[in-house]
Amino acid sequence: PATSNGCTFAVAPYIQLQTGNEDAGLGGEDWAIGIRGILDKKLSENTLFTANIGYAYQSEEDLAQISINHTLLFGLGLVYEIPGTTSYVAGEIYGRSEELFETESTPVELLVSYGYRFPKGTFVIGGGAGLVDGYGASDWRLFTGLRMRM
């Protein structure tokens, strides 16, 4: 990462692996590779803004009337560190677009999460919903996670 004027910029690989079961109708040739540019900007002592844009490639796949091959990846987020705690609240809007923002080929979702940091990791819990009814966007979702430091 490079830092300048309170901004941090990084380039990160994008990797999507096939995790579904094609025989059960859950997945198939859904691998992808690509790259993202990520910008973080500290807006105040407790608030961080983040944005990313990228590109992903996968072998062509047809889902109903949508052909997936080359994909624009994008996202925006805010993180608020709760003063006097090791916790934070975050909101993120993210999506992807195969046909430059045609509704069916541009799923966009909103996620809100709470994170609690402890000495060797972070516990995260949150939820979200689809904002644009593109392929794969859920009506709603709940998630939790645990990140560990080595």
Side-chain angles (χ1 to χ4, degrees), residues 110-141:
L110 168 68
L111 298 179
V112 177
S113 61
Y114 166 81
Y116 176 78
R117 292 186 188 98
F118 51 93
K120 292 287 185 176
T122 304
F123 171 75
V124 179
I125 188 166
L131 298 177
V132 175
D133 194 22
Y135 77 92
S138 62
D139 290 335
W140 61 274
R141 74 174 73 231

Side-chain angles (χ1 to χ4, degrees), residues 36 38 48-53 73-80 89-95 108-113 124 127-131 143 147:
R36 284 185 193 255
I38 304 164
L48 176 75
F49 168 79
T50 184
N52 68 75
I53 191 161
L73 308 169
F74 55 90
L76 296 171
L78 280 176
V79 179
Y80 179 72
V89 177
E92 178 183 10
I93 294 175
Y94 71 94
V108 178
E109 296 191 45
L110 168 68
L111 298 179
V112 177
S113 61
V124 179
L131 298 177
F143 61 89
R147 287 181 278 202

Side-chain angles (χ1 to χ4, degrees), residues 8-137:
T8 301
F9 180 75
V11 176
Y14 174 84
I15 301 170
Q16 175 183 304
L17 301 175
Q18 179 180 348
T19 58
N21 180 337
E22 190 171 5
D23 294 335
L26 301 170
E29 301 284 329
D30 60 349
W31 62 270
I33 59 172
I35 194 162
R36 284 185 193 255
I38 304 164
L39 174 74
D40 290 343
K41 169 98 173 119
K42 196 130 183 152
L43 299 179
S44 71
E45 185 177 337
N46 297 345
T47 308
L48 176 75
F49 168 79
T50 184
N52 68 75
I53 191 161
Y55 166 82
Y57 169 81
Q58 70 181 57
S59 59
E60 189 169 348
E61 182 177 1
D62 292 318
L63 296 174
Q65 301 87 4
I66 300 163
S67 179
I68 302 169
N69 192 343
H70 304 283
T71 304
L72 172 68
L73 308 169
F74 55 90
L76 296 171
L78 280 176
V79 179
Y80 179 72
E81 305 264 348
I82 301 170
T85 71
T86 59
S87 301
Y88 64 88
V89 177
E92 178 183 10
I93 294 175
Y94 71 94
R96 56 187 295 148
S97 184
E98 273 68 37
E99 295 293 328
L100 287 183
F101 306 109
E102 287 183 10
T103 302
E104 297 82 21
S105 66
T106 306
V108 178
E109 296 191 45
L110 168 68
L111 298 179
V112 177
S113 61
Y114 166 81
Y116 176 78
R117 292 186 188 98
F118 51 93
K120 292 287 185 176
T122 304
F123 171 75
V124 179
I125 188 166
L131 298 177
V132 175
D133 194 22
Y135 77 92

